[in-house]
Amino acid sequence: MNNYIKLYERERIKINQILSDALKYRQPTSLYEPGSYILNSGGKRLRPLLVLLSAKAVGGKFQDAYSAAAAVEMLHNFTLVHDDIMDNADKRRGRLTLHKKYDHNTAILAGDSLLSIAYEFLLRDCNGNAKEVISAFTHGLIEVCEGQSLDTDFELRKNVTLSEYILMIKKKTAAMAEMCCKIGALLGGGTNAQVNALAKYGLNLGIAFQIQDDLLDISADEKEFGKTIGGDLVEGKKTFLFLEALEKSKGNDRQKLLKVIERKGIKKNQVMTYKAIYEKLGVLDDARNEIKTYTQRALRSINLLDDENKSIFKWLADSLIHRTS
């Protein structure tokens, strides 16, 4: 396991350096300085790692996919910039969001430029299969936009089902992980079976990742989590836990949950009251079981890989579902 952690840290440093250099000498500064600000704001760099590991898993090399790995992180940061504008968020990774540090117009344009340069970087690694790689990348982007739109729709709707929620996170979160694995496998020269297997791994891992995020929001240690516990309830978000609780609740508990929808959130001092409802209804355990189910699906999908590559993908899945932040 220590070897995997060392590999992850080594590759994260390399990706950070590529991202740090990506916009350094470009002009005008008014466009690229804000872009550099967001790219240098940190992050786990999990999506680039999925690209690199998928390329290696099918017989390729990391160096075949570094530019593509940087491209997916640029795409991810493009979505974050726009997400923060839509949510009017003040902070991202402990720093001012782009539209707060600069202004809305600068943030929109800087985000758009990141998307454009992402394609430029992606093309550097494309050889004979450029059409397939660009198609997968573009499809991932379309899915993310559709997922964000569904998420916005859900804020306005009183009734959202669990299956609708799963569809939304498939698009908004999991499609990106699916795309990362797919383009990595394509760039590494994988067979159709290998490409499809790794894509399924990414999709199912992405769903597990998002439900874990929902769970951490109410159950994590606040110091480790780095955010206020219960933020989703305060904002009135319809997460997996909330929708599961609503489906299972009756009487007074159900009335309290319906008030979250009516009032579009709760006060911070009410969070523990709602956490107690979640615990009583068993939805924390339901979420843990769902995370386990999707993680097992992810791991089953890569049975055709050799033991060494299966082992690192298993380590990555375990790391993500046992994380505390």
Side-chain angles (χ1 to χ4, degrees):
M1 293 301 173
N2 283 338
N3 287 339
Y4 294 152
I5 294 168
K6 285 178 185 174
L7 180 145
Y8 166 60
E9 288 300 333
R10 185 176 71 237
E11 296 309 318
R12 191 162 69 93
I13 289 166
K14 288 180 185 176
I15 292 296
N16 282 341
Q17 190 59 56
I18 294 168
L19 293 170
S20 180
D21 293 341
L23 310 181
K24 195 177 279 184
Y25 304 108
R26 295 184 187 240
Q27 295 292 331
T29 306
S30 58
L31 174 64
Y32 294 116
E33 190 178 85
S36 289
Y37 172 80
I38 189 71
L39 287 181
N40 290 313
S41 293
K44 296 182 178 74
R45 311 306 192 202
L46 293 171
R47 291 158 190 84
L49 186 67
L50 286 173
V51 174
L52 298 176
L53 292 179
S54 297
K56 183 177 176 293
V58 298
K61 297 176 182 175
F62 284 173
Q63 64 228 45
D64 298 331
Y66 277 124
S67 292
V72 300
E73 190 66 13
M74 289 178 192
L75 171 61
H76 175 55
N77 279 274
F78 150 77
T79 67
L80 297 182
V81 171
H82 286 234
D83 204 15
D84 287 340
I85 293 168
M86 292 173 75
D87 291 344
N88 196 29
D90 293 331
K91 293 281 183 78
R92 166 73 66 179
R93 297 166 180 159
R95 304 171 89 195
L96 282 175
T97 50
L98 209 57
H99 67 283
K100 292 291 183 182
K101 182 171 174 64
Y102 297 92
D103 55 63
H104 280 76
N105 290 347
T106 299
I108 290 166
L109 195 56
D112 291 347
S113 74
L114 286 179
L115 176 59
S116 306
I117 294 164
Y119 274 97
E120 185 181 276
F121 268 68
L122 184 67
L123 283 164
R124 291 179 186 177
D125 285 339
C126 290
N127 293 308
N129 58 358
K131 184 176 179 181
E132 289 175 283
V133 174
I134 294 168
S135 176
F137 190 82
T138 305
H139 182 70
L141 170 59
I142 292 167
E143 292 268 61
V144 170
C145 292
E146 289 175 355
Q148 180 64 40
S149 185
L150 286 172
D151 198 15
T152 305
D153 291 346
F154 291 175
E155 290 176 19
L156 304 173
R157 282 173 49 188
K158 289 189 175 179
N159 297 311
V160 176
T161 66
L162 267 172
S163 60
E164 286 177 318
Y165 178 75
I166 295 295
L167 174 64
M168 184 273 286
I169 65 173
K170 271 184 181 177
K171 289 177 175 289
K172 186 178 176 181
T173 303
M176 183 84 83
E178 178 185 29
M179 175 267 283
C180 290
C181 292
K182 188 170 186 176
I183 66 170
L186 286 167
L187 291 169
T191 63
N192 285 339
Q194 289 172 323
V195 170
N196 291 335
L198 284 158
K200 283 179 186 174
Y201 172 88
L203 180 69
N204 285 294
L205 189 69
I207 296 169
F209 181 91
Q210 183 56 57
I211 298 173
Q212 174 74 354
D213 250 18
D214 294 352
L215 180 61
L216 284 172
D217 183 77
I218 196 70
S219 65
D221 178 277
E222 203 161 280
K223 287 181 182 176
E224 287 187 53
F225 193 44
K227 291 187 281 187
T228 304
I229 293 302
D232 288 341
L233 279 165
V234 171
E235 293 173 30
K237 289 187 177 178
K238 299 176 183 74
T239 64
F240 177 88
L241 285 94
F242 180 81
L243 294 171
E244 180 78 354
L246 194 61
E247 207 169 83
K248 295 176 81 172
S249 63
K250 294 175 183 175
N252 194 38
D253 288 341
R254 183 168 178 79
Q255 290 308 310
K256 283 181 179 176
L257 291 165
L258 288 171
K259 280 181 183 176
V260 178
I261 299 172
E262 288 166 21
R263 295 173 182 174
K264 297 186 176 178
I266 62 171
K267 293 177 181 176
K268 286 182 182 178
N269 62 8
Q270 295 177 295
V271 168
M272 288 302 113
T273 300
Y274 282 88
K275 184 179 180 182
I277 293 172
Y278 282 0
E279 287 172 339
K280 185 168 79 173
L281 295 172
V283 299
L284 300 184
D285 286 335
D286 291 343
R288 291 185 187 104
N289 289 334
E290 204 74 3
I291 292 161
K292 188 176 179 182
T293 296
Y294 279 106
T295 303
Q296 287 171 342
R297 283 184 196 172
L299 295 174
R300 279 199 302 271
S301 72
I302 54 167
N303 276 336
L304 51 69
L305 299 182
D306 62 45
D307 287 345
E308 183 187 344
N309 284 299
K310 271 195 289 193
S311 180
I312 194 166
F313 280 108
K314 184 179 187 305
W315 166 79
L316 182 60
D318 287 343
S319 300
L320 292 181
I321 65 165
H322 292 117
R323 73 191 195 282
T324 55
S325 64

